[in-house]
Amino acid sequence: MIKVDIEKKLKAYGGQQVLKITHDFPSATVTKIYGPSGAGKTTFLKIIAGLIAPENGKIIVDDTTWLDTVSNISSTPQNRRVGFVFQNYALFPNMTVRQHLEYSTDDAQWITRLLAIGKLETFADHKPEYLSGGQQQRLAILRALSIKPKLLLMDEPFSALDPDMRAELINELKSIWEEMGMTVLIVSHDQRELDGIADGELYIESLQRHKG
């Protein structure tokens, strides 16, 4: 179980609006996160990953406290070991596809399996600049999976994929999530693409005005 109760002022609005979320995510489930543009969906994922600090809040994963602003507890992103698929991919330009995966794991069989899932076997020695947008997006997903995270955060992970590739990849990912008991949070602009795989949902509404 992931228990989240956070409050974060958003700089984009001069600190005058606040992202406030209280939600429990059951373990080994898939949750789709949606809402209007600018509502703070990406910020929410980054807070969970430890990449952004909220002004107030608490995050508890199973029996471990990742964040408690009252007690001054904040685990580093490295200690949280969260898989994160960034919306802009955040790939390393000087590293090949295979090196992106080897950076996080030395399990050769797992790397081979990931390359097959992403259909990137023949591109294993290519750097990102030689990949299409869809291939780069698939690599970003594979890299996030390479550490075999218990918690996987995905920010618009299928936007660059054509419908057939998206459907095939989602089916492959669903098998891995179930096999490894992953808890998955997915931000998506297209709710239909997650039909049939999401166990729950979180709607992030328009930002609340900060008073004081």
Side-chain angles (χ1 to χ4, degrees):
M1 175 73 73
I2 301 171
K3 303 175 76 68
V4 178
D5 183 6
I6 59 94
E7 179 176 321
K8 172 67 178 175
K9 298 177 187 177
L10 296 183
K11 292 182 179 179
Y13 297 89
Q16 295 302 305
Q17 290 186 298
V18 170
L19 174 66
K20 297 182 69 174
I21 297 176
T22 300
H23 196 84
D24 293 347
F25 301 92
S27 298
T29 60
V30 178
T31 301
K32 64 179 178 181
I33 300 173
Y34 63 104
S37 179
K41 301 182 295 295
T42 296
T43 297
F44 178 60
L45 293 187
K46 289 183 176 180
I47 288 172
I48 294 177
L51 301 175
I52 293 178
E55 281 74 28
N56 300 293
K58 180 180 289 187
I59 299 174
I60 300 175
V61 180
D62 297 327
D63 296 323
T64 302
T65 299
W66 282 6
L67 174 74
D68 187 338
T69 54
V70 173
S71 301
N72 198 30
I73 295 173
S74 182
S75 296
T76 65
Q78 292 78 11
N79 287 336
R80 298 186 193 195
R81 286 189 60 78
V82 168
F84 201 121
V85 181
F86 293 90
Q87 189 173 359
N88 64 352
Y89 315 150
L91 301 175
F92 301 117
N94 62 326
M95 294 173 62
T96 66
V97 169
R98 185 181 301 278
Q99 288 170 339
H100 273 84
L101 306 182
E102 291 176 339
Y103 186 80
S104 302
T105 180
D106 57 3
D107 186 336
Q109 289 186 334
W110 180 231
I111 290 174
T112 298
R113 182 180 176 187
L114 289 175
L115 290 172
I117 289 171
K119 297 189 180 302
L120 292 176
E121 305 102 309
T122 58
F123 299 91
D125 296 323
H126 288 55
K127 294 180 179 179
E129 64 178 311
Y130 299 107
L131 303 177
S132 68
Q135 290 169 334
Q136 290 183 23
Q137 191 165 56
R138 299 201 304 270
L139 174 56
I141 293 172
L142 301 183
R143 180 182 61 182
L145 289 171
S146 64
I147 63 172
K148 298 182 179 180
K150 282 297 183 182
L151 175 59
L152 178 64
L153 309 177
M154 310 180 79
D155 193 0
E156 302 282 6
F158 310 119
S159 59
L161 305 181
D162 64 62
D164 290 340
M165 174 60 72
R166 181 188 306 142
E168 184 174 351
L169 181 59
I170 286 176
N171 283 334
E172 292 279 5
L173 293 176
K174 184 179 179 182
S175 296
I176 288 180
W177 299 338
E178 292 176 349
E179 174 187 333
M180 299 188 173
M182 288 185 191
T183 303
V184 186
L185 310 186
I186 307 176
V187 169
S188 177
H189 69 282
D190 184 357
Q191 297 180 51
R192 293 173 299 176
E193 72 183 5
L194 301 181
D195 286 346
I197 69 168
D199 304 295
E201 62 183 44
L202 171 62
Y203 178 74
I204 296 181
E205 300 186 40
S206 299
L207 304 171
Q208 302 178 37
R209 185 163 297 281
H210 178 66
K211 299 179 181 180

